[in-house]
C-alpha cells in the first residue's frame, strides 16, 4: 500500500500526507516535502496541516452538543430556531434558521471571506465582520444552497453566545481534550515546536509558487477554516463523530439530515450512495492546498488526503484520491 500511494502521488505531481483506512485500520503514508526550503518532510511529527473546510463538521458538531445540553432547559433551541435570537442586528435574521446556517441555505453570500485582509482578528471581531458583511439575500430565495464561510463564522459566534465560552475553549475542551488529540490546534495555538506546511504548485517541476496561510487570514475564518491537524488526528475526529466521543450515531444522523438541506450536504459533509459514503473538500484562497477526505460512514475504509503540492483543480485532486480509494476497496467510493 505504501509504495502504491506514493507512486500515485508522484505520477500526479502531488505531495502531501495521507491516512489510508482499510478494514478499520488506519495507516499514515506521506510523500514529499512539507517545507521544501527547510527540508521538512510531509508526515514529520512537527507538521500540522490546515483543514480548511474540513473543520466545518467539527463546528456543526459543537452546535449539536450544545443543543443536547440545553434541551431540557429554558435555553432550549433546535435546527428551526431563528438566528435573530443571537443576531438581532443581522439582516433577515428573523427569516434564517440555525439549520440553514449549517446547510448553507441561509441566503448569506458575503464575498472575499478568504482574501487576506491583513488584520489579526479576535473571535468577536471576526464574527462582527461576518455580521456586517453577510449580505443575506431576499428571504424568498432562502433554501437555495449557496456555500459561504460566513455561515460557519456566525455559528462560531453562536457557540460562544450559548456556552458563555469562546469557540477556542469549546474546541479545546470538547474536541481536542476529549479525544486526546496531540496534533490538533486552532491556528493561534500552534506551538513553537510545530509548523504548518508551505503549499506549492507543480509547474514543469516540483515545489513552485510557495504560499502559506497567514495568521491574519486564519483569524478571519474562526469556525470555518482555522483548524490545523494531521490526517491521523482527523481520522480520530471522524470516528468520534459517531462513536459517542463527540456525537453518537443518532446525533450524527440528525446533523447530516437537517430539514433545511437542499442537496446531500448537511453539517459540514456530503453524504452519498444511500448515506454509506461521507466526504468533504477544502482549500484556502491564495494557497495551493488540496484537503479532501472520503470514507465509508462506518469509518472502516477510506482516505484522508492533505496535499500541500497540487497539480490541477479540485476535480483533478479528487481523481488522485479516487485512484487510491479504488485500491483500498474497489467499487465502493465515488469519483467526486
Amino acid at each position: 500500500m505504501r509504495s502504491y500511494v506514493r507512486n500515485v502521488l508522484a505520477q500526479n505531481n502531488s505531495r502531501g500526507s495521507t491516512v489510508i483506512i482499510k478494514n478499520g485500520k488506519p495507516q499514515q503514508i506521506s510523500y514529499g516535502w512539507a517545507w521544501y526550503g527547510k527540508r521538512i518532510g510531509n508526515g514529520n511529527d512537527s507538521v500540522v496541516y490546515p483543514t480548511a473546510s474540513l473543520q466545518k463538521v467539527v463546528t456543526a458538531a459543537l452546535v449539536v452538543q450544545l443543543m443536547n445540553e440545553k434541551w431540557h432547559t429554558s435555553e432550549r433551541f433546535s435546527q428551526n430556531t431563528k438566528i435573530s435570537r443571537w443576531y438581532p442586528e443581522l439582516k433577515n435574521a428573523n427569516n434564517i434558521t440555525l439549520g440553514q446556517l449549517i446547510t448553507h441555505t441561509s441566503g448569506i453570500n458575503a464575498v472575499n471571506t478568504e482574501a487576506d485582509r491583513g488584520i489579526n482578528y479576535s473571535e468577536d471581531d471576526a464574527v462582527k465582520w461576518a455580521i456586517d458583511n453577510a449580505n443575506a439575500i431576499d428571504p424568498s430565495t432562502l433554501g437555495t444552497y449557496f456555500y459561504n464561510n460566513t455561515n460557519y463564522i456566525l455559528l462560531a459566534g453562536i457557540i460562544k453566545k450559548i456556552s458563555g465560552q469562546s469557540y477556542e475553549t469549546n474546541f479545546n475542551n470538547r474536541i481536542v481534550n476529549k479525544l486526546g488529540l496531540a496534533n490538533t490546534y486552532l491556528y493561534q495555538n500552534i506551538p513553537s515546536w510545530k509548523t504548518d506546511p508551505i503549499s506549492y504548485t507543480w509547474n514543469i517541476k516540483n515545489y513552485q509558487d510557495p504560499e502559506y496561510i497567514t495568521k491574519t487570514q486564519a483569524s478571519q475564518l474562526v469556525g470555518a477554516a482555522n483548524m490545523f491537524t494531521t490526517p491521523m488526528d482527523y481520522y480520530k475526529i471522524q470516528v468520534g463523530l459517531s462513536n459517542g466521543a463527540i456525537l453518537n450515531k443518532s446525533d450524527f444522523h440528525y446533523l447530516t439530515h437537517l430539514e433545511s438541506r437542499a442537496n446531500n450536504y448537511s453539517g459540514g459533509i456530503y453524504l452519498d450512495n444511500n448515506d454509506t459514503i461521507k466526504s468533504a473538500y477544502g482549500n484556502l484562497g491564495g494557497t495551493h492546498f488540496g484537503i479532501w477526505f472520503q470514507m465509508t460512514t462506518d469509518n472502516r475504509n477510506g482516505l484522508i488526503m492533505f496535499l500541500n503540492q497540487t497539480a490541477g483543480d479540485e476535480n483533478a485532486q479528487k481523481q488522485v484520491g479516487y485512484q487510491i480509494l479504488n485500491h483500498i476497496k474497489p467499487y465502493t467510493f465515488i469519483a467526486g
Side-chain angles (χ1 to χ4, degrees):
M1 182 66 75
R2 183 171 298 275
S3 61
Y4 179 84
V5 171
R6 289 165 63 90
N7 284 339
V8 169
L9 293 176
Q11 290 163 10
N12 289 277
N13 301 309
S14 301
R15 303 290 185 270
S17 187
T18 72
V19 160
I20 307 302
I21 308 106
K22 185 175 177 65
N23 298 326
K25 297 179 180 178
Q27 175 187 9
Q28 177 180 290
I29 302 172
S30 305
Y31 184 62
W33 301 109
W35 190 338
Y36 179 73
K38 291 192 174 183
R39 296 303 193 272
I40 299 174
N42 279 311
N44 185 289
D45 288 344
S46 67
V47 180
V48 291
Y49 295 81
T51 55
S53 287
L54 272 64
Q55 178 182 354
K56 289 184 169 71
V57 69
V58 173
T59 298
L62 292 175
V63 173
V64 172
Q65 282 191 354
L66 291 168
M67 192 182 298
N68 288 338
E69 291 168 17
K70 300 295 185 182
W71 198 247
H72 296 293
T73 76
S74 60
E75 299 173 66
R76 174 174 174 157
F77 66 97
S78 75
Q79 61 179 304
N80 298 313
T81 302
K82 298 293 195 293
I83 65 170
S84 54
R85 172 166 165 178
W86 303 287
Y87 298 124
E89 72 277 38
L90 178 66
K91 181 181 177 183
N92 283 333
N94 282 320
N95 298 305
I96 298 170
T97 66
L98 182 67
Q100 286 172 323
L101 290 183
I102 298 173
T103 56
H104 294 289
T105 56
S106 66
I108 288 173
N109 63 343
V111 298
N112 296 325
T113 60
E114 295 179 15
D116 189 350
R117 298 190 285 274
I119 299 169
N120 188 22
Y121 287 87
S122 66
E123 280 190 18
D124 289 347
D125 286 341
V127 173
K128 183 180 185 303
W129 184 94
I131 294 168
D132 292 344
N133 293 272
N135 301 321
I137 56 179
D138 188 303
S140 65
T141 63
L142 292 178
T144 302
Y145 178 76
F146 187 91
Y147 191 95
N148 194 276
N149 287 315
T150 306
N151 290 294
Y152 275 74
I153 299 170
L154 292 173
L155 286 171
I158 288 172
I159 288 167
K160 181 176 182 179
K161 288 173 182 285
I162 293 169
S163 68
Q165 296 180 309
S166 66
Y167 179 87
E168 176 183 324
T169 297
N170 279 280
F171 176 83
N172 287 331
N173 289 342
R174 296 171 179 273
I175 305 298
V176 176
N177 297 341
K178 181 69 175 177
L179 295 178
L181 303 178
N183 298 292
T184 301
Y185 310 92
L186 299 183
Y187 185 93
Q188 67 269 21
N189 300 134
I190 298 173
S192 59
W193 60 90
K194 300 284 187 179
T195 185
D196 51 312
I198 311 296
S199 71
Y200 306 92
T201 56
W202 183 88
N203 185 5
I204 302 176
K205 59 181 181 178
N206 295 314
Y207 305 112
Q208 301 303 297
D209 192 20
E211 297 287 350
Y212 65 97
I213 295 169
T214 65
K215 175 171 63 176
T216 51
Q217 185 183 28
S219 75
Q220 298 170 189
L221 294 163
V222 58
N226 67 327
M227 178 176 101
F228 286 68
T229 188
T230 61
M232 191 62 78
D233 266 16
Y234 194 77
Y235 163 75
K236 294 174 183 176
I237 290 172
Q238 282 298 322
V239 173
L241 287 169
S242 57
N243 74 354
I246 302 173
L247 302 177
N248 60 34
K249 287 184 179 180
S250 175
D251 292 329
F252 182 75
H253 185 272
Y254 179 88
L255 177 65
T256 53
H257 294 80
L258 294 177
E259 296 167 11
S260 57
R261 71 174 184 169
N263 52 16
N264 58 345
Y265 181 97
S266 180
I269 61 175
Y270 295 87
L271 291 182
D272 290 288
N273 286 11
N274 295 317
D275 294 352
T276 61
I277 300 293
K278 58 181 178 177
S279 67
Y281 174 84
N283 59 14
L284 277 170
T287 70
H288 316 299
F289 294 104
I291 311 299
W292 188 56
F293 90 93
Q294 188 175 147
M295 295 169 60
T296 53
T297 48
D298 64 5
N299 299 310
R300 298 267 314 153
N301 294 280
L303 166 70
I304 298 166
M305 183 174 74
F306 291 178
L307 298 180
N308 73 306
Q309 177 178 292
T310 53
D313 60 9
E314 173 183 340
N315 287 331
Q317 294 156 31
K318 289 178 178 179
Q319 286 300 321
V320 174
Y322 187 54
Q323 275 186 260
I324 297 170
L325 287 166
N326 273 338
H327 190 72
I328 297 169
K329 191 169 185 181
Y331 314 114
T332 301
F333 299 95
I334 61 171

